Amino acid sequence: MIKQVEQMCDDRGNTKGRDQGQRSSWSSVRDQIASTFVLRLVSCVQLASKLSLHYSRVTSDTALKFLQSLKYSYTKQELLESELAVLNTLHFHINVSTPLAYVELLLEVLGYNGCLLPAKPLHQLCVQLLDFCYLTRETIYDTLLKVAIENSTPSKLQIAKFLTVKEDFMLLAVGVISTGVFILTPGHWEQVVEHLNCITGISPQSILEFSYAVVRRIVGSPTPEQ
């Protein structure tokens, strides 16, 4: 929706001014956005469902029934055109890699490798842990850096080099899965860490350190526990 507003504003010229004509232009943009907002929202849900690994797709019939329940009378053609409008607005760049995609792919591989894990509860917990990691991102990665260098006062160079670690989605994914297994089924934890090491090449020590940083933040432990 942000991209759409930007494009519409560009088409109409700069609408951020204060004169009457520009305010009128912005009002027109706002009305146009409001009139299609729910339809665009449903299209985004449909496109997201087509990319998901774990959930069934939202069909056109389902989307239309939902819109009809809200007193909208769109057709399948209008629904298709709305999807294309979303794709065009985003220049078809929608299949963006995210930490969740890495988590889900690794969970799929673990399942194929024969790890007997509670798939649905583990997936749900991993999603919650990902949220937690982003909400407490700086604290977790600060702990991880200090553990990795075995020093509570990292240098500027060490902090700069650590940026690549903070941007490593695969490390985040294996750390989240490892933490989730440790919470749900600790008896399988060592086996899962071994599998994650074989799948990704990330060392068991690195996986352990990441899980430690997350668990420490969850329990609020002021000192490291062996």
Side-chain angles (χ1 to χ4, degrees), residues 197-213:
N197 167 237
C198 292
I199 295 167
T200 67
I202 297 174
S203 70
Q205 182 64 26
S206 295
I207 299 173
L208 169 63
E209 289 174 355
F210 198 101
S211 295
Y212 164 74

Side-chain angles (χ1 to χ4, degrees), residues 101-115 117 170-171 173-174 177-178 190-204 207:
Y102 282 76
V103 167
E104 293 181 339
L105 181 59
L106 288 173
L107 288 176
E108 293 279 353
V109 175
L110 286 173
Y112 283 121
N113 285 356
C115 285
L117 299 171
M170 187 64 79
L171 175 62
V174 297
I177 293 173
S178 168
E190 290 187 4
Q191 178 196 26
V192 169
V193 170
E194 290 178 5
H195 276 282
L196 290 173
N197 167 237
C198 292
I199 295 167
T200 67
I202 297 174
S203 70
I207 299 173

Side-chain angles (χ1 to χ4, degrees), residues 50-223:
K50 291 176 181 179
L51 295 172
S52 174
L53 294 175
H54 288 272
Y55 303 100
S56 57
R57 294 182 180 180
V58 178
T59 65
S60 296
D61 289 336
T62 302
L64 285 175
K65 286 180 180 179
F66 172 73
L67 289 167
Q68 289 169 1
S69 72
L70 298 178
K71 310 303 181 184
Y72 292 101
S73 56
Y74 292 109
T75 64
K76 283 190 177 182
Q77 180 63 28
E78 288 172 319
L79 202 59
L80 176 60
E81 290 173 355
S82 180
E83 281 194 67
L84 290 173
V86 172
L87 290 170
N88 282 322
T89 300
L90 299 176
H91 305 294
F92 286 79
H93 295 159
I94 62 170
N95 195 12
V96 180
S97 294
T98 66
L100 179 59
Y102 282 76
V103 167
E104 293 181 339
L105 181 59
L106 288 173
L107 288 176
E108 293 279 353
V109 175
L110 286 173
Y112 283 121
N113 285 356
C115 285
L116 300 178
L117 299 171
K120 188 173 182 180
L122 181 57
H123 179 265
Q124 292 172 341
L125 180 56
C126 285
V127 172
Q128 293 176 326
L129 287 170
L130 275 176
D131 288 342
F132 179 80
C133 286
Y134 272 95
L135 289 171
T136 59
R137 177 179 174 83
E138 293 306 320
T139 303
I140 288 175
Y141 280 100
D142 181 62
T143 299
L144 186 59
L145 172 59
K146 292 175 181 177
V147 170
I149 66 173
E150 298 181 346
N151 192 326
S152 60
T153 55
S155 66
K156 289 183 178 180
L157 179 59
Q158 288 171 324
I159 293 173
K161 288 184 176 180
F162 193 71
L163 287 177
T164 56
V165 176
K166 297 176 73 172
E167 295 170 355
D168 189 339
F169 284 176
M170 187 64 79
L171 175 62
L172 175 58
V174 297
V176 162
I177 293 173
S178 168
T179 306
V181 173
F182 180 78
I183 293 171
L184 281 181
T185 56
H188 293 90
W189 183 73
E190 290 187 4
Q191 178 196 26
V192 169
V193 170
E194 290 178 5
H195 276 282
L196 290 173
N197 167 237
C198 292
I199 295 167
T200 67
I202 297 174
S203 70
Q205 182 64 26
S206 295
I207 299 173
L208 169 63
E209 289 174 355
F210 198 101
S211 295
Y212 164 74
V214 177
V215 172
R216 181 179 176 184
R217 182 63 182 131
I218 291 173
V219 301
S221 173
T223 56

